Amino acid sequence: SVCTFWLKRPRNDTGNKVTVVLGAQWGDEGKGKVVDLLATQSDLVCRCQGGNNAGHTVVVEGTEYDFHLLPSGIINPKSICVIGNGVVIHLPGLFEEAEKNEKKGLKGWEKRLIVSDRAHLVFDFHQVVDGIQETQRQATEGKIIGTTKKGIGPTYTSKASRIGLRVCDLLGDFKEFSTKFKNLVAQYQSMYSSLTVDTDTQLKKLKEYGERLRPMVRDGVYYMYEALHGPPKKILVEGANAALLDIDFGTYPFVTSSNCTVGGACTGLGIPPLNIGEVYGVSKAYTTRVGIGAFPTEQLNATGELLQTRGHEVGVTTGRKRRCGWLDLVILRYAHMINGFTAIALTKLDILDVLDEIKVGVAYKINGKRIPNFPANMELLHKVEVEYETFPGWKSDTSAARKWNDLPQKAQNYIRFVENHIGVPIKWVGVGKSRECMIQMF
């Protein structure tokens, strides 16, 4: 008999496919809403990167829940939520967030949360360092990055410097952990003289948090493998941040510290590319950006202000006003090149209801000549001139629309133009805050 062990597995036996939801602009596109919609049918909802610098708002039966670290699928009592190895976890933040949402009616989250033992820990001093670094940038370069000061960057720095501490360290030999923790603190104090850390108090708290966390911790690789290769399961990956904030592909250096494009789903959960199924990009019907950095279609005028006030464009995590501008199809096409979107959700269409005319950025020009790519260089990106396509506004309220035919013809034309230009079908159109305001097209 032939040893079948070495025979190649058929390609179709890949196990369950994972659906990934990603931001296609600079974040704040309404991913939480799309995830919430899909989470109602999902068995597993996973976070793969970022930390509590993310802010996802989900409205269920009139109650507004804010999530930063917890996958927003935690609202669904039938789904299990996974915090993957690529996520950086601030334990005080995690428990505080859970308690806040418990007060609003969230139940049984501890039984439904799985945390990877390979995830890195964000410590309070990482958050302090984040603030110190921003102050230093302001002093030396006269500009900041506009981080959320949640310690995300410094934690990924510790990780890349191979001095970071992980969940498995905290749950292992605590004496060993304490020594490593003290060394890490000493290393940061040698870099930042103003940094003071009460290590004993910190360690005492960390030990308590560790014990609270212990029942939720699993080996993420094995856990995901079992989920992919067991009985059929609907698995959803909820991206945080967005394509233009990706550490490799975003508007560097005004980016986050992780890969928030599709590759982050594989590295942040330990799943093979073969298991990636649908990849949904989420985009607003206009563009916003928090913090600093180039923003070619930004409108520093009455239009920008109108979008800001009508769209309630204020950061969930930071409370900062968001900068607003027209929809930029150059960045959407660029996001699609990297992520390979299978469909797009276009949110907040209703914000455009009152405009006489609506513009869409279709190309960038430098010295009057169209450029074929999205520039990596920030100086260059600041110089681009945007070529616009102008559409007449529909001047009617779309917030009550529940199906495609309820939308005015001019709104339909706008949506079709976007779809054709990017070459990706638009699967949902959002016209309001709650679940039922997402028009599903197919």
Side-chain angles (χ1 to χ4, degrees):
S1 67
V2 183
C3 170
T4 53
F5 182 67
W6 295 112
L7 291 179
K8 202 167 181 299
R9 281 175 59 183
R11 284 294 274 190
N12 58 2
D13 181 25
T14 56
N16 296 318
K17 293 278 194 200
V18 169
T19 296
V20 188
V21 176
L22 301 167
Q25 296 164 304
W26 275 287
D28 316 305
E29 302 92 349
K31 294 181 291 294
K33 201 185 279 86
V34 180
V35 168
D36 177 52
L37 204 73
L38 296 167
T40 52
Q41 300 116 44
S42 299
D43 303 297
L44 218 59
V45 183
C46 317
R47 273 282 304 272
C48 61
Q49 44 68 234
N52 58 339
N53 56 333
H56 296 169
T57 308
V58 180
V59 183
V60 183
E61 288 162 11
T63 306
E64 220 170 274
Y65 296 90
D66 284 342
F67 296 110
H68 301 279
L69 249 176
L70 288 170
S72 46
I74 200 85
I75 289 186
N76 174 14
K78 288 194 272 302
S79 65
I80 299 284
C81 286
V82 177
I83 293 181
N85 57 276
V87 178
V88 291
I89 305 173
H90 182 241
L91 291 173
L94 177 71
F95 291 115
E96 191 184 318
E97 176 184 331
E99 279 150 24
K100 268 188 187 159
N101 285 301
E102 268 178 353
K103 289 195 177 89
K104 293 180 177 183
L106 177 67
K107 285 182 183 70
W109 64 274
E110 279 157 310
K111 299 271 183 290
R112 293 185 284 110
L113 185 65
I114 302 285
V115 177
S116 167
D117 58 355
R118 287 179 172 84
H120 277 253
L121 295 167
V122 180
F123 299 116
D124 289 353
F125 70 80
H126 279 128
Q127 300 197 332
V128 177
V129 166
D130 203 346
I132 296 173
Q133 288 177 343
E134 283 283 68
T135 311
Q136 285 182 351
R137 284 183 201 111
Q138 183 67 55
T140 54
E141 298 161 47
K143 60 173 187 275
I144 55 173
I145 283 174
T147 80
T148 55
K149 301 200 172 99
K150 296 286 183 190
I152 309 303
T155 305
Y156 279 115
T157 304
S158 297
K159 178 177 176 173
S161 308
R162 291 158 297 192
I163 54 175
L165 288 166
R166 304 189 290 177
V167 169
C168 58
D169 298 315
L170 176 61
L171 301 190
D173 176 354
F174 195 73
K175 216 170 127 208
E176 190 66 25
F177 175 82
S178 303
T179 307
K180 287 179 179 166
F181 181 79
K182 285 173 180 164
N183 290 344
L184 185 59
V185 170
Q187 213 153 346
Y188 272 96
Q189 285 179 324
S190 69
M191 291 187 280
Y192 304 98
S193 54
S194 64
L195 181 66
T196 53
V197 183
D198 181 348
T199 46
D200 293 340
T201 306
Q202 287 293 311
L203 283 165
K204 191 167 161 276
K205 277 188 188 162
L206 283 161
K207 194 172 181 36
E208 286 166 19
Y209 286 131
E211 290 318 311
R212 243 184 114 176
L213 193 70
R214 196 180 290 277
M216 306 172 212
V217 178
R218 299 277 189 291
D219 183 310
V221 175
Y222 282 82
Y223 188 85
M224 289 310 295
Y225 186 84
E226 296 286 294
L228 292 170
H229 297 283
K233 263 194 176 61
K234 282 207 158 85
I235 304 172
L236 181 62
V237 177
E238 168 181 356
N241 321 108
L244 277 289
L245 292 172
D246 185 280
I247 183 77
D248 283 278
F249 305 109
T251 45
Y252 191 89
F254 303 103
V255 291
T256 192
S257 313
S258 60
N259 284 112
C260 27
T261 40
V262 72
C266 297
T267 55
L269 285 160
I271 55 179
L274 204 57
N275 291 93
I276 303 279
E278 300 290 345
V279 180
Y280 296 135
V282 188
S283 164
K284 275 180 189 155
Y286 50 100
T287 310
T288 63
R289 176 163 199 172
V290 174
I292 6 252
F295 182 173
T297 63
E298 182 172 16
Q299 297 299 300
L300 295 164
N301 52 27
T303 305
E305 276 178 36
L306 180 97
L307 293 170
Q308 203 278 323
T309 47
R310 264 186 73 80
H312 302 293
E313 294 298 349
V314 176
V316 182
T317 304
T318 56
R320 290 181 290 202
K321 268 190 182 183
R322 298 193 190 121
R323 299 155 63 192
C324 299
W326 297 119
L327 185 61
D328 184 338
L329 297 185
V330 180
I331 73 172
L332 283 192
R333 285 174 70 170
Y334 173 68
H336 174 47
M337 285 175 198
I338 300 160
N339 290 311
F341 297 132
T342 52
I344 277 181
L346 193 69
T347 62
K348 299 186 94 160
L349 183 80
D350 55 308
I351 306 305
L352 306 178
D353 286 352
V354 298
L355 294 162
D356 294 317
E357 58 171 39
I358 296 161
K359 290 183 175 183
V360 178
V362 291
Y364 292 168
K365 288 194 230 168
I366 287 181
N367 302 329
K369 273 180 67 176
R370 270 191 178 207
I371 55 168
N373 60 334
F374 181 79
N377 183 302
M378 279 308 99
E379 281 72 49
L380 204 60
L381 191 60
H382 273 292
K383 287 192 186 110
V384 299
E385 191 192 325
V386 182
E387 188 180 309
Y388 288 103
E389 194 80 35
T390 305
F391 293 84
W394 42 90
K395 307 283 285 179
S396 61
D397 183 1
T398 58
S399 64
R402 292 295 173 265
K403 47 186 194 294
W404 173 248
N405 289 337
D406 297 343
L407 291 170
Q409 186 62 52
K410 285 175 181 167
Q412 292 184 0
N413 295 348
Y414 179 77
I415 294 160
R416 288 291 179 235
F417 177 82
V418 172
E419 194 170 56
N420 294 333
H421 196 88
I422 311 165
V424 183
I426 289 176
K427 189 174 168 80
W428 296 277
V429 176
V431 291
K433 261 191 164 182
S434 61
R435 262 180 199 175
E436 48 280 0
C437 297
M438 289 294 268
I439 301 168
Q440 189 162 335
M441 317 270 267
F442 59 88

